[in-house]
Amino acid sequence: MTCAKMGLLIQTVNVVLMCFFLSSVNADTPANCTYEDIKGTWVLNMGPSNNDKTINCTSITIVSAVTVELTYPDVAIDEYGNQGFWTIIYNQGFEVVVGGRKYFAFSQYAGKKSFCGQTMTGTSHDLLGRDWACYVGAKKHSSMSEKIYNQHDDLSLRFGHGINSVEMVRSINRASTSWKAVKYDQWDGMSHEDFVRMAGGKMSRIASRPKAAPLTKEQKAIRDSLPEDFDWRNVDGTNFVSPVRNQGSCGSCYSFASMAMNEARIKIMSNNTQAPVFSPQDIVECSPYSQGCNGGFPYLIGGKYAEDYGLVEEKWNPYKGKDGSCSTNPKAPRHYSTQYKYVGGYYGACNEAAMMEALYNNGPIAVGFEVYKDFMSYKSGIYHHNFATNFGKFSPFELTNHAVLVVGWGKDKSSGQKYWIVKNSWGEGWGLKGYFWISRGNDECGIESMAVEAFPMMTFNK
């Protein structure tokens, strides 16, 4: 490397590190970056390797760098010609798998600003998870001011009145023919912030999500070959889904959906001889890939965290429904998953057929979807968002990315309307004993745009 190139690299690294240290103090929201912001050529500046997963990345000394080109739709090519995979992770960051290593970092942000040509300090490790290193990424032909987003709207301006009100319920039931609403007395007195956390948390918001991918001819054939109705709660009389739980007012739905996916898939793999209940509190308190009660995403928890750190059972860290320092017993056995991915292969490739195939062949899948205020009052039927409940203007209380578990699908015999069967985490007193049906085949509220699956590794811990 020439002196000029080395000087440029050092300058780039210094800029990245300066922004990292500023954002570690001032940041209050995750980043908001698009696919086009991330696609391109990146320099990944590496710290020393040969560390384990306890590595501390609050500071980093750069010792080497690797250049990686991220191309459409999901191909990563490093400077040595090795070809691998990459995906944007919602609007938060991106993961690259190439040359026998994985790289993950959140995109850079500071306060309400996003700097999508830079990353926060992230971690890299080999595919076996044995050799860990810290790194910071800088996109070539980008600058600190090139892409700056203001992520937040004023919540007070976006807060539509009427959540869980008699007026809202009457409006829904007058306008809707496919589903019914009810007022839930147990939610009386809840604050706006409580509702936002229940619906995913402010740090799970996605300003721009992909649409469901168009179905190919092959996918349509696969979809049409599957049963008209299917439900993992009743496969020849056997239930492979763990019980409904209640997240409370903590924005931990991403953790509950992720744990439920892994629980169900272990039950399926073991023919119901193993039925673990995993700890969402371990995720809230201990995961470096989420924001506790303010939100997170199933790809990073049900997949990446489960592979990198492992899941613990509920008894080792019972649910508290609030943030705190990590209190999981260090002796707790860990259960691991692997081969985590977006259904369809990468972010933006998901659709109804891909979800049905993954669900039928592998087990329940975790999904995110946009929650509007009318959803909070759901009681029964096939949900679809009803704009008439906004009392004459578009004013959702907050578009949030609520994470839930899809366990099956069906079709209404009288109307012919298709629906997903979905497990929520608001307790058995909500909806259909904790479940809901939502319109299928039209990407209702984005539910067919970003499903996630992972594959548990069998364990024989007592």
Side-chain angles (χ1 to χ4, degrees):
M1 181 180 289
T2 66
C3 292
K5 288 184 177 179
M6 178 63 76
L8 179 61
L9 172 60
I10 293 173
Q11 182 181 21
T12 299
V13 172
N14 286 339
V15 169
V16 173
L17 289 178
M18 177 184 70
C19 191
F20 165 72
F21 288 122
L22 285 173
S23 64
S24 66
V25 175
N26 298 324
D28 61 357
T29 63
N32 179 23
C33 299
T34 68
Y35 178 92
E36 291 299 325
D37 293 335
I38 304 302
K39 186 181 70 171
T41 303
W42 286 78
V43 177
L44 309 181
N45 303 289
M46 307 297 299
S49 59
N50 293 317
N51 302 283
D52 63 24
K53 66 181 66 176
T54 63
I55 187 172
N56 186 337
C57 291
T58 54
S59 63
I60 176 174
T61 301
I62 303 302
V63 298
S64 63
V66 60
T67 300
V68 180
E69 184 179 4
L70 308 181
T71 66
Y72 176 85
D74 62 343
V75 177
I77 303 174
D78 69 16
E79 60 190 89
Y80 308 106
N82 298 307
Q83 183 169 312
F85 163 83
W86 76 282
T87 183
I88 190 171
I89 301 174
Y90 306 96
N91 57 349
Q92 304 294 292
F94 60 97
E95 184 171 50
V96 180
V97 184
V98 67
R101 295 191 68 86
K102 290 189 176 187
Y103 305 82
F104 165 71
F106 287 106
S107 295
Q108 184 62 253
Y109 61 92
K112 297 179 180 180
K113 306 290 185 180
S114 297
F115 305 93
C116 299
Q118 313 285 340
T119 74
M120 303 287 281
T121 301
T123 54
S124 170
H125 60 76
D126 66 289
L127 297 183
L128 297 178
R130 295 173 180 171
D131 173 17
W132 288 63
C134 304
Y135 81 96
V136 286
K139 187 178 182 182
K140 285 190 174 181
H141 314 300
S142 180
S143 69
M144 291 297 293
S145 59
E146 185 176 359
K147 289 285 185 179
I148 301 179
Y149 291 97
N150 190 332
Q151 180 166 342
H152 266 316
D153 295 323
D154 185 338
L155 298 185
S156 63
L157 295 178
R158 293 178 61 83
F159 178 58
H161 59 82
I163 296 180
N164 196 43
S165 67
V166 173
E167 292 79 11
M168 168 65 78
V169 170
R170 287 175 178 169
S171 175
I172 293 169
N173 290 334
R174 282 196 302 265
S176 178
T177 58
S178 69
W179 67 282
K180 297 299 180 185
V182 70
K183 181 180 180 298
Y184 290 100
D185 293 341
Q186 65 267 32
W187 290 352
D188 287 345
M190 285 183 64
S191 68
H192 171 212
E193 289 74 16
D194 288 336
F195 280 116
V196 169
R197 283 191 292 268
M198 281 183 60
K202 66 179 182 179
M203 292 187 180
S204 294
R205 288 184 58 204
I206 297 180
S208 59
R209 58 168 176 80
K211 295 180 180 179
L215 273 66
T216 65
K217 182 179 180 180
E218 292 76 12
Q219 286 180 321
K220 290 179 181 178
I222 292 172
R223 180 195 61 186
D224 295 342
S225 71
L226 295 173
E228 189 172 89
D229 300 278
F230 183 77
D231 188 344
W232 277 109
R233 296 173 301 170
N234 183 6
V235 179
D236 297 326
T238 301
N239 180 11
F240 291 97
V241 182
S242 53
V244 170
R245 301 186 65 183
N246 194 338
Q247 70 186 71
S249 59
C250 172
S252 53
C253 59
Y254 66 97
S255 179
F256 279 89
S258 298
M259 299 306 97
M261 175 181 64
N262 281 279
E263 290 163 358
R265 290 189 167 209
I266 288 175
K267 287 167 69 72
I268 293 166
M269 291 174 65
S270 68
N271 196 24
N272 255 347
T273 60
Q274 295 185 28
V277 175
F278 292 126
S279 169
Q281 191 66 35
D282 174 70
I283 306 303
V284 170
E285 293 178 349
C286 307
S287 171
Y289 302 144
S290 62
Q291 291 79 42
C293 280
N294 279 319
F297 300 94
Y299 182 95
L300 294 175
I301 299 306
K304 188 168 181 61
Y305 183 82
E307 180 177 275
D308 289 353
Y309 295 91
L311 310 177
V312 301
E313 295 189 36
E314 177 73 7
K315 65 183 178 181
W316 295 102
N317 193 348
Y319 189 63
K320 308 178 188 70
K322 61 182 180 181
D323 291 315
S325 58
C326 184
S327 60
T328 299
N329 189 319
K331 296 182 179 180
R334 293 276 170 174
H335 301 251
Y336 294 88
S337 292
T338 189
Q339 298 179 51
Y340 57 92
K341 61 181 179 180
Y342 288 109
V343 172
Y346 55 91
Y347 189 65
C350 188
N351 58 32
E352 176 199 14
M355 287 173 61
M356 292 175 70
E357 183 179 14
L359 180 62
Y360 186 79
N361 290 333
N362 305 324
I365 53 180
V367 301
F369 73 106
E370 292 176 350
V371 169
Y372 295 84
K373 62 184 180 181
D374 61 344
F375 179 75
M376 314 297 285
S377 299
Y378 173 89
K379 179 58 180 175
S380 63
I382 302 173
Y383 173 79
H384 62 87
H385 174 51
N386 192 335
F387 286 90
T389 61
N390 288 316
F391 300 100
K393 63 177 182 178
F394 180 72
S395 57
F397 74 95
E398 175 78 341
L399 289 178
T400 52
N401 181 48
H402 185 43
V404 289
L405 187 76
V406 177
V407 303
W409 66 79
K411 184 176 182 180
D412 184 80
K413 304 304 180 185
S414 58
S415 67
Q417 187 174 0
K418 302 186 301 182
Y419 59 87
W420 298 109
I421 304 169
V422 191
K423 179 185 178 184
N424 204 352
S425 53
W426 293 348
E428 291 186 349
W430 180 89
L432 298 167
K433 295 184 178 180
Y435 286 79
F436 65 97
W437 296 352
I438 186 170
S439 182
R440 172 168 60 94
N442 60 332
D443 196 24
E444 181 67 40
C445 298
I447 200 166
E448 291 160 7
S449 65
M450 47 191 176
V452 170
E453 67 174 333
F455 295 82
M457 301 169 67
M458 291 290 287
T459 181
F460 300 97
N461 292 321
K462 297 293 184 181

